[in-house]
Amino acid sequence: MCCEQVERQLGRYVDDEISAAEREKIETHLGFCSSCQAELEEMRELVRGIAQPPAVTVPDFLWASIARRLDKTDRTISPARPLRRLRFRGAPWAIAAGVVLAVGLSMFGLSSLESTAHASTVDFGVLLDALPLDAQKAFRKFLMRYDAKPSTPVAAKRIASALNFDTPPVLPGGFRLQSVYELRIGGTRGIAAAYDRDGEFLAAVFHPPMKHEKFGSHENLPCVIGDHCGHKVQVGEWKLVHLTDPTTCHCLLSRVDEQSEMPAVMAAIAPKLTETGPTSDHHHP
Amino acid sequence: MEDRLLIERCLTGEREAQRQLFEQTSVRIYRLLLRMTGNPDDAADLTQETYFKGLQRLDQFDGRSAIGSWFYRIAVNEALQFRRRQGVGTVKLQAVAPNQPTEAQRPRTDLELDMESALAELPPDDRALLLLRYQEELDYRGIAEALDCAEGTVASRLSRARDKLREILRKSYG
């Protein structure tokens, strides 16, 4: 390596953004070139000068000011945060949310989303429409739609004691529990849980059986999971499957295989489902 | 994993989770903005703006970069816009105000003050670049994420910024 080559690489060398082989070549050159050594020392001196971070204390009032502004925004926008949804231009559900917001605000002023979400309906349209883009974001939109609050497996059982469900720390197949949420669906409570298996997302939603559920433009078709009859909406690789017993609709959003993996996962999140026997009608158990 | 859970909670609008995220990241952001602006009041205003916007837009965070890079990017944008609003000019140095104690309350050396003056003379984007690399210790990938530029351009941009800074320092020493 000549001086010119070393000088060109010296910045990367100082920044430790260089391969071991290049590093070795540069260090060999530096071993006998006093000119490049001086160049290196000058660069290090400069870097040390920039690197002196002042020891700072973040002003105490800052978080309070930020929280106040966020509170103000939250009061101006319903808990579903429709303005955030509308940023996803062109998404059909965003337009729908805008309509809901317009109707909701004109009818109820600054009322909460509960005014616009009927207790007899769960709207999965938000979740299904955004699935192909990003499943986790779609799930978060659904959580916001139903005013989700973080919870724990134990608290979820207590809050939704009328529902038959479980959120085990690990599901068959190795999905690990990431988070549990309490949902407000109209006047009733629901529970949602997010799981992960090496970056593969899976979510479960539990809610009381409803007369109607909305799936946007997606078709909800009968299906069989293990010994149970249920319904399924498919969006690309993603499936939203629901199995319903007299107390609970168990909704599973995943990409797992219906025949080989899904029955065991369903059995884990709906442990009493087997006792109730198969149900053929999802909405009218 | 911890980050991801905290972000999930923030996304549901949980204020306590948002406060935790602020606590975890705000020293670095405030410190960067303090050196970008040279003024504690401006740094506080811009930090507030950074978190207000960042938390409101958190649903746009794709999770592919570190959450720190996300806030760095917003902070740098805020600082650059602030400079543009103020008009082009150098930073008025006031980086060590009475409420900003340095290590062991020591006064800054001449050398440090020279460096601050020289940094203040740099174009704001060069200043951001150097501070992200050498003060905040981001690697090239992190810098690319924070500045929303190609990783392949970071090394050459850093090289140019270092050369400019060296030139300014040489002039100041006569």
Side-chain angles (χ1 to χ4, degrees), chain A residues 39-75:
Chain A
E39 182 70 22
L40 173 66
E41 198 38 53
E42 192 182 343
M43 194 178 288
R44 282 186 167 153
E45 182 77 16
L46 186 79
V47 163
R48 275 195 293 271
I50 303 166
Q52 303 281 339
V56 301
T57 309
V58 177
D60 291 338
F61 64 85
L62 259 186
W63 173 249
S65 305
I66 295 161
R68 263 199 308 275
R69 286 179 70 183
L70 289 167
D71 288 342
K72 204 169 166 182
T73 311
D74 286 355
R75 279 198 298 275

PDB file of all heavy atoms in Angstrom, chain A residues 39-75:
ATOM      1  N   GLU A  39      -0.167  11.954   9.975  1.00  0.00           N
ATOM      2  CA  GLU A  39      -1.519  12.201   9.444  1.00  0.00           C
ATOM      3  C   GLU A  39      -2.570  11.531  10.323  1.00  0.00           C
ATOM      4  O   GLU A  39      -3.598  12.117  10.670  1.00  0.00           O
ATOM      5  CB  GLU A  39      -1.586  11.647   8.010  1.00  0.00           C
ATOM      6  CG  GLU A  39      -2.900  11.857   7.295  1.00  0.00           C
ATOM      7  CD  GLU A  39      -3.147  13.313   6.931  1.00  0.00           C
ATOM      8  OE1 GLU A  39      -2.183  14.098   6.835  1.00  0.00           O
ATOM      9  OE2 GLU A  39      -4.338  13.658   6.764  1.00  0.00           O
ATOM     10  N   LEU A  40      -2.269  10.288  10.706  1.00  0.00           N
ATOM     11  CA  LEU A  40      -3.188   9.515  11.562  1.00  0.00           C
ATOM     12  C   LEU A  40      -3.344  10.205  12.922  1.00  0.00           C
ATOM     13  O   LEU A  40      -4.459  10.356  13.431  1.00  0.00           O
ATOM     14  CB  LEU A  40      -2.656   8.094  11.759  1.00  0.00           C
ATOM     15  CG  LEU A  40      -3.418   7.217  12.761  1.00  0.00           C
ATOM     16  CD1 LEU A  40      -4.836   6.918  12.262  1.00  0.00           C
ATOM     17  CD2 LEU A  40      -2.671   5.895  13.001  1.00  0.00           C
ATOM     18  N   GLU A  41      -2.228  10.641  13.482  1.00  0.00           N
ATOM     19  CA  GLU A  41      -2.273  11.274  14.812  1.00  0.00           C
ATOM     20  C   GLU A  41      -3.085  12.570  14.769  1.00  0.00           C
ATOM     21  O   GLU A  41      -3.873  12.865  15.661  1.00  0.00           O
ATOM     22  CB  GLU A  41      -0.841  11.541  15.312  1.00  0.00           C
ATOM     23  CG  GLU A  41      -0.752  11.776  16.813  1.00  0.00           C
ATOM     24  CD  GLU A  41      -1.687  10.884  17.640  1.00  0.00           C
ATOM     25  OE1 GLU A  41      -1.659   9.645  17.487  1.00  0.00           O
ATOM     26  OE2 GLU A  41      -2.490  11.441  18.421  1.00  0.00           O
ATOM     27  N   GLU A  42      -2.913  13.326  13.675  1.00  0.00           N
ATOM     28  CA  GLU A  42      -3.656  14.585  13.530  1.00  0.00           C
ATOM     29  C   GLU A  42      -5.162  14.305  13.429  1.00  0.00           C
ATOM     30  O   GLU A  42      -5.976  15.009  14.029  1.00  0.00           O
ATOM     31  CB  GLU A  42      -3.174  15.332  12.280  1.00  0.00           C
ATOM     32  CG  GLU A  42      -3.680  16.758  12.238  1.00  0.00           C
ATOM     33  CD  GLU A  42      -3.263  17.511  10.975  1.00  0.00           C
ATOM     34  OE1 GLU A  42      -2.326  17.068  10.284  1.00  0.00           O
ATOM     35  OE2 GLU A  42      -3.899  18.538  10.693  1.00  0.00           O
ATOM     36  N   MET A  43      -5.493  13.256  12.675  1.00  0.00           N
ATOM     37  CA  MET A  43      -6.910  12.912  12.535  1.00  0.00           C
ATOM     38  C   MET A  43      -7.504  12.466  13.872  1.00  0.00           C
ATOM     39  O   MET A  43      -8.610  12.840  14.240  1.00  0.00           O
ATOM     40  CB  MET A  43      -7.084  11.804  11.490  1.00  0.00           C
ATOM     41  CG  MET A  43      -8.531  11.631  11.061  1.00  0.00           C
ATOM     42  SD  MET A  43      -8.762  10.388   9.802  1.00  0.00           S
ATOM     43  CE  MET A  43      -8.061  11.172   8.378  1.00  0.00           C
ATOM     44  N   ARG A  44      -6.731  11.690  14.615  1.00  0.00           N
ATOM     45  CA  ARG A  44      -7.215  11.219  15.929  1.00  0.00           C
ATOM     46  C   ARG A  44      -7.401  12.383  16.902  1.00  0.00           C
ATOM     47  O   ARG A  44      -8.337  12.411  17.688  1.00  0.00           O
ATOM     48  CB  ARG A  44      -6.244  10.180  16.508  1.00  0.00           C
ATOM     49  CG  ARG A  44      -6.420   8.829  15.852  1.00  0.00           C
ATOM     50  CD  ARG A  44      -5.578   7.770  16.507  1.00  0.00           C
ATOM     51  NE  ARG A  44      -5.983   6.439  16.087  1.00  0.00           N
ATOM     52  CZ  ARG A  44      -5.178   5.384  16.059  1.00  0.00           C
ATOM     53  NH1 ARG A  44      -3.921   5.518  16.418  1.00  0.00           N
ATOM     54  NH2 ARG A  44      -5.630   4.220  15.688  1.00  0.00           N
ATOM     55  N   GLU A  45      -6.484  13.333  16.821  1.00  0.00           N
ATOM     56  CA  GLU A  45      -6.565  14.538  17.662  1.00  0.00           C
ATOM     57  C   GLU A  45      -7.867  15.294  17.363  1.00  0.00           C
ATOM     58  O   GLU A  45      -8.587  15.723  18.261  1.00  0.00           O
ATOM     59  CB  GLU A  45      -5.345  15.426  17.363  1.00  0.00           C
ATOM     60  CG  GLU A  45      -5.255  16.699  18.188  1.00  0.00           C
ATOM     61  CD  GLU A  45      -4.764  16.434  19.600  1.00  0.00           C
ATOM     62  OE1 GLU A  45      -4.218  15.352  19.850  1.00  0.00           O
ATOM     63  OE2 GLU A  45      -4.954  17.327  20.429  1.00  0.00           O
ATOM     64  N   LEU A  46      -8.150  15.418  16.084  1.00  0.00           N
ATOM     65  CA  LEU A  46      -9.350  16.124  15.632  1.00  0.00           C
ATOM     66  C   LEU A  46     -10.604  15.406  16.150  1.00  0.00           C
ATOM     67  O   LEU A  46     -11.516  16.024  16.697  1.00  0.00           O
ATOM     68  CB  LEU A  46      -9.377  16.174  14.104  1.00  0.00           C
ATOM     69  CG  LEU A  46     -10.496  16.994  13.467  1.00  0.00           C
ATOM     70  CD1 LEU A  46     -10.147  18.481  13.510  1.00  0.00           C
ATOM     71  CD2 LEU A  46     -10.720  16.563  12.022  1.00  0.00           C
ATOM     72  N   VAL A  47     -10.596  14.093  15.985  1.00  0.00           N
ATOM     73  CA  VAL A  47     -11.742  13.276  16.392  1.00  0.00           C
ATOM     74  C   VAL A  47     -11.954  13.370  17.907  1.00  0.00           C
ATOM     75  O   VAL A  47     -13.081  13.482  18.381  1.00  0.00           O
ATOM     76  CB  VAL A  47     -11.530  11.813  15.932  1.00  0.00           C
ATOM     77  CG1 VAL A  47     -12.453  10.864  16.658  1.00  0.00           C
ATOM     78  CG2 VAL A  47     -11.699  11.709  14.428  1.00  0.00           C
ATOM     79  N   ARG A  48     -10.856  13.352  18.658  1.00  0.00           N
ATOM     80  CA  ARG A  48     -10.959  13.480  20.128  1.00  0.00           C
ATOM     81  C   ARG A  48     -11.590  14.816  20.498  1.00  0.00           C
ATOM     82  O   ARG A  48     -12.402  14.899  21.420  1.00  0.00           O
ATOM     83  CB  ARG A  48      -9.574  13.361  20.774  1.00  0.00           C
ATOM     84  CG  ARG A  48      -9.144  11.921  21.018  1.00  0.00           C
ATOM     85  CD  ARG A  48      -7.958  11.860  21.993  1.00  0.00           C
ATOM     86  NE  ARG A  48      -6.745  12.444  21.408  1.00  0.00           N
ATOM     87  CZ  ARG A  48      -5.850  11.748  20.696  1.00  0.00           C
ATOM     88  NH1 ARG A  48      -6.021  10.457  20.501  1.00  0.00           N
ATOM     89  NH2 ARG A  48      -4.772  12.332  20.209  1.00  0.00           N
ATOM     90  N   GLY A  49     -11.243  15.837  19.758  1.00  0.00           N
ATOM     91  CA  GLY A  49     -11.812  17.171  20.015  1.00  0.00           C
ATOM     92  C   GLY A  49     -13.313  17.209  19.794  1.00  0.00           C
ATOM     93  O   GLY A  49     -14.057  17.783  20.589  1.00  0.00           O
ATOM     94  N   ILE A  50     -13.747  16.559  18.716  1.00  0.00           N
ATOM     95  CA  ILE A  50     -15.193  16.536  18.419  1.00  0.00           C
ATOM     96  C   ILE A  50     -15.919  15.665  19.448  1.00  0.00           C
ATOM     97  O   ILE A  50     -17.044  15.945  19.841  1.00  0.00           O
ATOM     98  CB  ILE A  50     -15.455  15.968  17.004  1.00  0.00           C
ATOM     99  CG1 ILE A  50     -14.713  16.777  15.943  1.00  0.00           C
ATOM    100  CG2 ILE A  50     -16.951  15.938  16.704  1.00  0.00           C
ATOM    101  CD1 ILE A  50     -14.641  16.084  14.589  1.00  0.00           C
ATOM    102  N   ALA A  51     -15.233  14.625  19.892  1.00  0.00           N
ATOM    103  CA  ALA A  51     -15.900  13.603  20.711  1.00  0.00           C
ATOM    104  C   ALA A  51     -16.174  14.037  22.144  1.00  0.00           C
ATOM    105  O   ALA A  51     -16.773  13.281  22.896  1.00  0.00           O
ATOM    106  CB  ALA A  51     -15.059  12.330  20.715  1.00  0.00           C
ATOM    107  N   GLN A  52     -15.747  15.236  22.526  1.00  0.00           N
ATOM    108  CA  GLN A  52     -15.953  15.660  23.920  1.00  0.00           C
ATOM    109  C   GLN A  52     -17.414  16.018  24.139  1.00  0.00           C
ATOM    110  O   GLN A  52     -17.803  17.163  23.939  1.00  0.00           O
ATOM    111  CB  GLN A  52     -15.098  16.901  24.217  1.00  0.00           C
ATOM    112  CG  GLN A  52     -13.624  16.721  23.985  1.00  0.00           C
ATOM    113  CD  GLN A  52     -12.960  15.974  25.125  1.00  0.00           C
ATOM    114  OE1 GLN A  52     -13.507  15.931  26.219  1.00  0.00           O
ATOM    115  NE2 GLN A  52     -11.820  15.388  24.883  1.00  0.00           N
ATOM    116  N   PRO A  53     -18.252  15.076  24.548  1.00  0.00           N
ATOM    117  CA  PRO A  53     -19.647  15.461  24.739  1.00  0.00           C
ATOM    118  C   PRO A  53     -19.821  16.205  26.059  1.00  0.00           C
ATOM    119  O   PRO A  53     -19.270  15.793  27.073  1.00  0.00           O
ATOM    120  CB  PRO A  53     -20.376  14.115  24.778  1.00  0.00           C
ATOM    121  CG  PRO A  53     -19.358  13.135  25.224  1.00  0.00           C
ATOM    122  CD  PRO A  53     -17.996  13.682  24.883  1.00  0.00           C
ATOM    123  N   PRO A  54     -20.531  17.314  26.039  1.00  0.00           N
ATOM    124  CA  PRO A  54     -20.782  17.983  27.322  1.00  0.00           C
ATOM    125  C   PRO A  54     -21.670  17.099  28.189  1.00  0.00           C
ATOM    126  O   PRO A  54     -22.552  16.415  27.678  1.00  0.00           O
ATOM    127  CB  PRO A  54     -21.516  19.262  26.909  1.00  0.00           C
ATOM    128  CG  PRO A  54     -22.089  18.976  25.563  1.00  0.00           C
ATOM    129  CD  PRO A  54     -21.217  17.951  24.915  1.00  0.00           C
ATOM    130  N   ALA A  55     -21.367  17.075  29.477  1.00  0.00           N
ATOM    131  CA  ALA A  55     -22.228  16.302  30.394  1.00  0.00           C
ATOM    132  C   ALA A  55     -23.483  17.132  30.624  1.00  0.00           C
ATOM    133  O   ALA A  55     -23.417  18.201  31.223  1.00  0.00           O
ATOM    134  CB  ALA A  55     -21.502  16.062  31.705  1.00  0.00           C
ATOM    135  N   VAL A  56     -24.597  16.691  30.095  1.00  0.00           N
ATOM    136  CA  VAL A  56     -25.806  17.522  30.149  1.00  0.00           C
ATOM    137  C   VAL A  56     -26.861  16.907  31.057  1.00  0.00           C
ATOM    138  O   VAL A  56     -26.875  15.710  31.312  1.00  0.00           O
ATOM    139  CB  VAL A  56     -26.426  17.721  28.744  1.00  0.00           C
ATOM    140  CG1 VAL A  56     -25.448  18.385  27.804  1.00  0.00           C
ATOM    141  CG2 VAL A  56     -26.904  16.404  28.167  1.00  0.00           C
ATOM    142  N   THR A  57     -27.713  17.772  31.534  1.00  0.00           N
ATOM    143  CA  THR A  57     -28.902  17.339  32.251  1.00  0.00           C
ATOM    144  C   THR A  57     -30.094  17.833  31.452  1.00  0.00           C
ATOM    145  O   THR A  57     -30.204  19.034  31.183  1.00  0.00           O
ATOM    146  CB  THR A  57     -28.947  17.974  33.669  1.00  0.00           C
ATOM    147  OG1 THR A  57     -27.689  17.721  34.286  1.00  0.00           O
ATOM    148  CG2 THR A  57     -30.077  17.403  34.498  1.00  0.00           C
ATOM    149  N   VAL A  58     -30.942  16.914  31.058  1.00  0.00           N
ATOM    150  CA  VAL A  58     -32.129  17.310  30.293  1.00  0.00           C
ATOM    151  C   VAL A  58     -33.034  18.114  31.224  1.00  0.00           C
ATOM    152  O   VAL A  58     -33.310  17.674  32.347  1.00  0.00           O
ATOM    153  CB  VAL A  58     -32.876  16.060  29.759  1.00  0.00           C
ATOM    154  CG1 VAL A  58     -34.142  16.460  29.027  1.00  0.00           C
ATOM    155  CG2 VAL A  58     -31.961  15.258  28.847  1.00  0.00           C
ATOM    156  N   PRO A  59     -33.465  19.306  30.812  1.00  0.00           N
ATOM    157  CA  PRO A  59     -34.314  20.123  31.691  1.00  0.00           C
ATOM    158  C   PRO A  59     -35.530  19.351  32.208  1.00  0.00           C
ATOM    159  O   PRO A  59     -36.187  18.630  31.443  1.00  0.00           O
ATOM    160  CB  PRO A  59     -34.749  21.277  30.779  1.00  0.00           C
ATOM    161  CG  PRO A  59     -33.679  21.366  29.736  1.00  0.00           C
ATOM    162  CD  PRO A  59     -33.193  19.967  29.527  1.00  0.00           C
ATOM    163  N   ASP A  60     -35.803  19.512  33.477  1.00  0.00           N
ATOM    164  CA  ASP A  60     -36.896  18.764  34.136  1.00  0.00           C
ATOM    165  C   ASP A  60     -38.256  18.978  33.477  1.00  0.00           C
ATOM    166  O   ASP A  60     -39.085  18.084  33.450  1.00  0.00           O
ATOM    167  CB  ASP A  60     -37.003  19.200  35.614  1.00  0.00           C
ATOM    168  CG  ASP A  60     -35.798  18.714  36.402  1.00  0.00           C
ATOM    169  OD1 ASP A  60     -35.150  17.754  35.944  1.00  0.00           O
ATOM    170  OD2 ASP A  60     -35.510  19.314  37.455  1.00  0.00           O
ATOM    171  N   PHE A  61     -38.484  20.193  32.994  1.00  0.00           N
ATOM    172  CA  PHE A  61     -39.823  20.529  32.510  1.00  0.00           C
ATOM    173  C   PHE A  61     -40.144  19.894  31.157  1.00  0.00           C
ATOM    174  O   PHE A  61     -41.284  19.897  30.724  1.00  0.00           O
ATOM    175  CB  PHE A  61     -39.981  22.048  32.381  1.00  0.00           C
ATOM    176  CG  PHE A  61     -39.053  22.654  31.345  1.00  0.00           C
ATOM    177  CD1 PHE A  61     -39.414  22.695  29.995  1.00  0.00           C
ATOM    178  CD2 PHE A  61     -37.811  23.164  31.705  1.00  0.00           C
ATOM    179  CE1 PHE A  61     -38.563  23.232  29.044  1.00  0.00           C
ATOM    180  CE2 PHE A  61     -36.954  23.703  30.749  1.00  0.00           C
ATOM    181  CZ  PHE A  61     -37.342  23.733  29.417  1.00  0.00           C
ATOM    182  N   LEU A  62     -39.109  19.347  30.492  1.00  0.00           N
ATOM    183  CA  LEU A  62     -39.302  18.953  29.094  1.00  0.00           C
ATOM    184  C   LEU A  62     -40.381  17.884  28.913  1.00  0.00           C
ATOM    185  O   LEU A  62     -41.263  18.031  28.070  1.00  0.00           O
ATOM    186  CB  LEU A  62     -37.984  18.455  28.495  1.00  0.00           C
ATOM    187  CG  LEU A  62     -37.244  19.447  27.611  1.00  0.00           C
ATOM    188  CD1 LEU A  62     -36.042  18.788  26.964  1.00  0.00           C
ATOM    189  CD2 LEU A  62     -38.157  20.003  26.533  1.00  0.00           C
ATOM    190  N   TRP A  63     -40.278  16.796  29.690  1.00  0.00           N
ATOM    191  CA  TRP A  63     -41.259  15.732  29.486  1.00  0.00           C
ATOM    192  C   TRP A  63     -42.681  16.231  29.780  1.00  0.00           C
ATOM    193  O   TRP A  63     -43.624  15.920  29.052  1.00  0.00           O
ATOM    194  CB  TRP A  63     -40.958  14.483  30.309  1.00  0.00           C
ATOM    195  CG  TRP A  63     -42.103  13.513  30.179  1.00  0.00           C
ATOM    196  CD1 TRP A  63     -42.989  13.147  31.129  1.00  0.00           C
ATOM    197  CD2 TRP A  63     -42.537  12.873  28.962  1.00  0.00           C
ATOM    198  NE1 TRP A  63     -43.946  12.304  30.602  1.00  0.00           N
ATOM    199  CE2 TRP A  63     -43.690  12.123  29.277  1.00  0.00           C
ATOM    200  CE3 TRP A  63     -42.072  12.872  27.651  1.00  0.00           C
ATOM    201  CZ2 TRP A  63     -44.378  11.372  28.322  1.00  0.00           C
ATOM    202  CZ3 TRP A  63     -42.759  12.126  26.696  1.00  0.00           C
ATOM    203  CH2 TRP A  63     -43.894  11.388  27.038  1.00  0.00           C
ATOM    204  N   ALA A  64     -42.813  17.015  30.828  1.00  0.00           N
ATOM    205  CA  ALA A  64     -44.144  17.532  31.178  1.00  0.00           C
ATOM    206  C   ALA A  64     -44.726  18.347  30.017  1.00  0.00           C
ATOM    207  O   ALA A  64     -45.905  18.234  29.687  1.00  0.00           O
ATOM    208  CB  ALA A  64     -44.053  18.389  32.443  1.00  0.00           C
ATOM    209  N   SER A  65     -43.879  19.151  29.383  1.00  0.00           N
ATOM    210  CA  SER A  65     -44.343  19.962  28.244  1.00  0.00           C
ATOM    211  C   SER A  65     -44.773  19.074  27.084  1.00  0.00           C
ATOM    212  O   SER A  65     -45.793  19.316  26.433  1.00  0.00           O
ATOM    213  CB  SER A  65     -43.230  20.892  27.757  1.00  0.00           C
ATOM    214  OG  SER A  65     -42.764  21.670  28.808  1.00  0.00           O
ATOM    215  N   ILE A  66     -43.960  18.046  26.808  1.00  0.00           N
ATOM    216  CA  ILE A  66     -44.279  17.134  25.699  1.00  0.00           C
ATOM    217  C   ILE A  66     -45.588  16.398  26.009  1.00  0.00           C
ATOM    218  O   ILE A  66     -46.475  16.297  25.149  1.00  0.00           O
ATOM    219  CB  ILE A  66     -43.129  16.126  25.473  1.00  0.00           C
ATOM    220  CG1 ILE A  66     -41.862  16.855  25.016  1.00  0.00           C
ATOM    221  CG2 ILE A  66     -43.531  15.057  24.455  1.00  0.00           C
ATOM    222  CD1 ILE A  66     -40.578  16.056  25.193  1.00  0.00           C
ATOM    223  N   ALA A  67     -45.716  15.903  27.241  1.00  0.00           N
ATOM    224  CA  ALA A  67     -46.920  15.149  27.620  1.00  0.00           C
ATOM    225  C   ALA A  67     -48.159  16.027  27.516  1.00  0.00           C
ATOM    226  O   ALA A  67     -49.219  15.570  27.065  1.00  0.00           O
ATOM    227  CB  ALA A  67     -46.768  14.601  29.043  1.00  0.00           C
ATOM    228  N   ARG A  68     -48.027  17.286  27.918  1.00  0.00           N
ATOM    229  CA  ARG A  68     -49.172  18.207  27.818  1.00  0.00           C
ATOM    230  C   ARG A  68     -49.611  18.358  26.362  1.00  0.00           C
ATOM    231  O   ARG A  68     -50.797  18.337  26.049  1.00  0.00           O
ATOM    232  CB  ARG A  68     -48.800  19.585  28.383  1.00  0.00           C
ATOM    233  CG  ARG A  68     -49.250  19.796  29.831  1.00  0.00           C
ATOM    234  CD  ARG A  68     -49.284  21.267  30.211  1.00  0.00           C
ATOM    235  NE  ARG A  68     -48.044  21.963  29.923  1.00  0.00           N
ATOM    236  CZ  ARG A  68     -46.991  21.976  30.748  1.00  0.00           C
ATOM    237  NH1 ARG A  68     -47.027  21.318  31.887  1.00  0.00           N
ATOM    238  NH2 ARG A  68     -45.894  22.624  30.413  1.00  0.00           N
ATOM    239  N   ARG A  69     -48.632  18.507  25.476  1.00  0.00           N
ATOM    240  CA  ARG A  69     -48.970  18.656  24.049  1.00  0.00           C
ATOM    241  C   ARG A  69     -49.616  17.381  23.509  1.00  0.00           C
ATOM    242  O   ARG A  69     -50.557  17.436  22.715  1.00  0.00           O
ATOM    243  CB  ARG A  69     -47.710  18.990  23.245  1.00  0.00           C
ATOM    244  CG  ARG A  69     -47.242  20.421  23.454  1.00  0.00           C
ATOM    245  CD  ARG A  69     -45.981  20.702  22.671  1.00  0.00           C
ATOM    246  NE  ARG A  69     -46.222  20.753  21.231  1.00  0.00           N
ATOM    247  CZ  ARG A  69     -45.250  20.929  20.334  1.00  0.00           C
ATOM    248  NH1 ARG A  69     -44.004  21.036  20.730  1.00  0.00           N
ATOM    249  NH2 ARG A  69     -45.527  20.965  19.044  1.00  0.00           N
ATOM    250  N   LEU A  70     -49.096  16.240  23.939  1.00  0.00           N
ATOM    251  CA  LEU A  70     -49.673  14.969  23.477  1.00  0.00           C
ATOM    252  C   LEU A  70     -51.096  14.810  24.014  1.00  0.00           C
ATOM    253  O   LEU A  70     -51.995  14.363  23.301  1.00  0.00           O
ATOM    254  CB  LEU A  70     -48.802  13.790  23.931  1.00  0.00           C
ATOM    255  CG  LEU A  70     -47.438  13.653  23.231  1.00  0.00           C
ATOM    256  CD1 LEU A  70     -46.553  12.652  23.981  1.00  0.00           C
ATOM    257  CD2 LEU A  70     -47.584  13.224  21.774  1.00  0.00           C
ATOM    258  N   ASP A  71     -51.305  15.200  25.277  1.00  0.00           N
ATOM    259  CA  ASP A  71     -52.646  15.126  25.876  1.00  0.00           C
ATOM    260  C   ASP A  71     -53.634  15.978  25.081  1.00  0.00           C
ATOM    261  O   ASP A  71     -54.757  15.574  24.804  1.00  0.00           O
ATOM    262  CB  ASP A  71     -52.632  15.624  27.325  1.00  0.00           C
ATOM    263  CG  ASP A  71     -51.950  14.630  28.253  1.00  0.00           C
ATOM    264  OD1 ASP A  71     -51.803  13.451  27.867  1.00  0.00           O
ATOM    265  OD2 ASP A  71     -51.558  15.041  29.356  1.00  0.00           O
ATOM    266  N   LYS A  72     -53.171  17.171  24.742  1.00  0.00           N
ATOM    267  CA  LYS A  72     -54.022  18.110  24.008  1.00  0.00           C
ATOM    268  C   LYS A  72     -54.415  17.503  22.658  1.00  0.00           C
ATOM    269  O   LYS A  72     -55.564  17.580  22.235  1.00  0.00           O
ATOM    270  CB  LYS A  72     -53.229  19.404  23.777  1.00  0.00           C
ATOM    271  CG  LYS A  72     -54.076  20.629  23.577  1.00  0.00           C
ATOM    272  CD  LYS A  72     -53.203  21.858  23.619  1.00  0.00           C
ATOM    273  CE  LYS A  72     -53.933  23.072  23.105  1.00  0.00           C
ATOM    274  NZ  LYS A  72     -53.053  24.242  23.099  1.00  0.00           N
ATOM    275  N   THR A  73     -53.448  16.901  22.008  1.00  0.00           N
ATOM    276  CA  THR A  73     -53.716  16.260  20.707  1.00  0.00           C
ATOM    277  C   THR A  73     -54.686  15.109  20.882  1.00  0.00           C
ATOM    278  O   THR A  73     -55.597  14.928  20.083  1.00  0.00           O
ATOM    279  CB  THR A  73     -52.398  15.728  20.098  1.00  0.00           C
ATOM    280  OG1 THR A  73     -51.438  16.762  20.148  1.00  0.00           O
ATOM    281  CG2 THR A  73     -52.595  15.289  18.661  1.00  0.00           C
ATOM    282  N   ASP A  74     -54.483  14.310  21.947  1.00  0.00           N
ATOM    283  CA  ASP A  74     -55.365  13.164  22.185  1.00  0.00           C
ATOM    284  C   ASP A  74     -56.795  13.604  22.430  1.00  0.00           C
ATOM    285  O   ASP A  74     -57.732  12.904  22.096  1.00  0.00           O
ATOM    286  CB  ASP A  74     -54.873  12.346  23.385  1.00  0.00           C
ATOM    287  CG  ASP A  74     -53.638  11.546  23.015  1.00  0.00           C
ATOM    288  OD1 ASP A  74     -53.261  11.564  21.830  1.00  0.00           O
ATOM    289  OD2 ASP A  74     -53.055  10.906  23.904  1.00  0.00           O
ATOM    290  N   ARG A  75     -56.955  14.777  23.057  1.00  0.00           N
ATOM    291  CA  ARG A  75     -58.319  15.260  23.314  1.00  0.00           C
ATOM    292  C   ARG A  75     -58.977  15.758  22.040  1.00  0.00           C
ATOM    293  O   ARG A  75     -60.181  15.758  21.909  1.00  0.00           O
ATOM    294  CB  ARG A  75     -58.295  16.378  24.363  1.00  0.00           C
ATOM    295  CG  ARG A  75     -58.223  15.852  25.787  1.00  0.00           C
ATOM    296  CD  ARG A  75     -58.635  16.932  26.760  1.00  0.00           C
ATOM    297  NE  ARG A  75     -57.748  18.074  26.709  1.00  0.00           N
ATOM    298  CZ  ARG A  75     -56.605  18.165  27.382  1.00  0.00           C
ATOM    299  NH1 ARG A  75     -56.206  17.162  28.137  1.00  0.00           N
ATOM    300  NH2 ARG A  75     -55.862  19.242  27.304  1.00  0.00           N
TER     301      ARG A  75
END
